[in-house]
Amino acid sequence: MPDPSLRLAVLASGRGSNLQAIIDAIEQKRLQAILAVVISNKAEAPALERARKHGVPAVFLDPKAVSGREAYDAAILEQLRQHDVGLVALAGYMKIVTRVLLDAYPHRIMNIHPSLLPAFPGLSAQQQALDWGAKVSGCTVHFVEEGVDTGPIIQQAAVPVLEGDTAESLEARILQQEHRIYSEAIQLFAEGRLAIEGRRVRVK
Ligand code: GRF
């Protein structure tokens, strides 16, 4: 059964196009969730502005206001609890998540990455795919674990790398798929249909 009461938080550091796709999916009722809060480590992140425009609480937490990553995640956790959040979606969130959040939200933190993991983790995944000469790249939604871009894979979409592609043109083509699969993956979670078996995520 869909759980329309899933309370979602999005953590974003920048542009927020994935956040926007999630907002759109909720408004169009393709995603049964309540966007409870958007949190950013950047005061000027366009993602915060997008949230405000849609009446979603938008919170800037200054990493410089606390000492260390764990303390920062504790501040995030406080916000998540205040907003009664059940699932956290990282969307262009440029900070490493520590045990503080991982332990509080086991297998309830997702991330989206612009490659077919485990290929091309880390920064500039689109440029990495071009530099490697890959013919196909894509995007991955996965549960977050301690490593960078590791964690059980929930959903992937393949995207062709075309002759003459630049990092920007490939990024734009991959983004279209990101915007589609992130909401789909969150909807599967909302419906209670994701079963984690070791590294595998089975869709029930
Ligand atoms: C996306 O490519 C996402 O896969 C990666 O960072 C980018 C964020 O873009 N993790 P946006 O802020 O959602 O537009």
Side-chain angles (χ1 to χ4, degrees), residues 14-19 91-92 111-114 126 175 178:
R15 176 177 62 185
S17 73
N18 276 288
L19 166 68
N111 182 43
I112 183 140
H113 182 76
Q126 303 90 341
L175 262 183
E178 292 187 34

Side-chain angles (χ1 to χ4, degrees), residues 33-50:
I34 293 157
L35 185 52
V37 63
V38 172
I39 302 172
S40 184
N41 60 322
K42 300 278 181 194
E44 305 304 323
L48 289 176
E49 201 38 52
R50 291 184 195 262

Side-chain angles (χ1 to χ4, degrees), residues 42-194:
K42 300 278 181 194
E44 305 304 323
L48 289 176
E49 201 38 52
R50 291 184 195 262
R52 285 187 204 108
K53 253 196 193 151
H54 291 263
V56 175
V59 179
F60 161 59
L61 289 178
D62 187 353
K64 294 197 203 87
V66 293
S67 82
R69 283 197 211 148
E70 278 79 9
Y72 187 72
D73 277 359
I76 291 189
L77 191 52
E78 204 180 301
Q79 286 293 327
L80 298 179
R81 291 200 165 130
Q82 262 177 39
H83 291 274
D84 196 21
V85 166
L87 178 71
V88 180
L90 311 183
Y93 181 62
M94 302 304 284
K95 281 181 76 67
I96 304 269
V97 168
T98 69
R99 285 248 66 96
V100 172
L101 280 189
L102 293 170
D103 289 345
Y105 281 85
H107 289 140
R108 285 189 293 150
I109 306 177
M110 290 183 183
N111 182 43
I112 183 140
H113 182 76
S115 74
L116 292 176
L117 289 171
F120 315 129
L123 294 175
S124 308
Q126 303 90 341
Q127 187 63 53
Q128 290 187 56
L130 286 176
D131 292 347
W132 198 256
K135 304 294 188 197
V136 176
S137 190
C139 49
T140 303
V141 179
H142 63 93
F143 285 112
V144 175
E145 285 182 345
E146 224 158 354
V148 173
D149 300 324
T150 59
I153 291 170
I154 303 164
Q155 192 107 319
Q156 291 186 303
V159 172
V161 179
L162 303 180
E163 201 67 39
D165 253 342
T166 59
E168 291 71 30
S169 61
L170 180 57
E171 175 184 350
R173 198 174 313 113
I174 292 174
L175 262 183
Q176 292 180 355
Q177 298 306 314
E178 292 187 34
H179 295 165
R180 180 177 63 80
I181 68 170
Y182 213 176
S183 299
E184 287 179 7
I186 296 168
Q187 177 62 19
L188 289 173
F189 182 94
E191 291 175 13
R193 289 176 58 198
L194 299 179

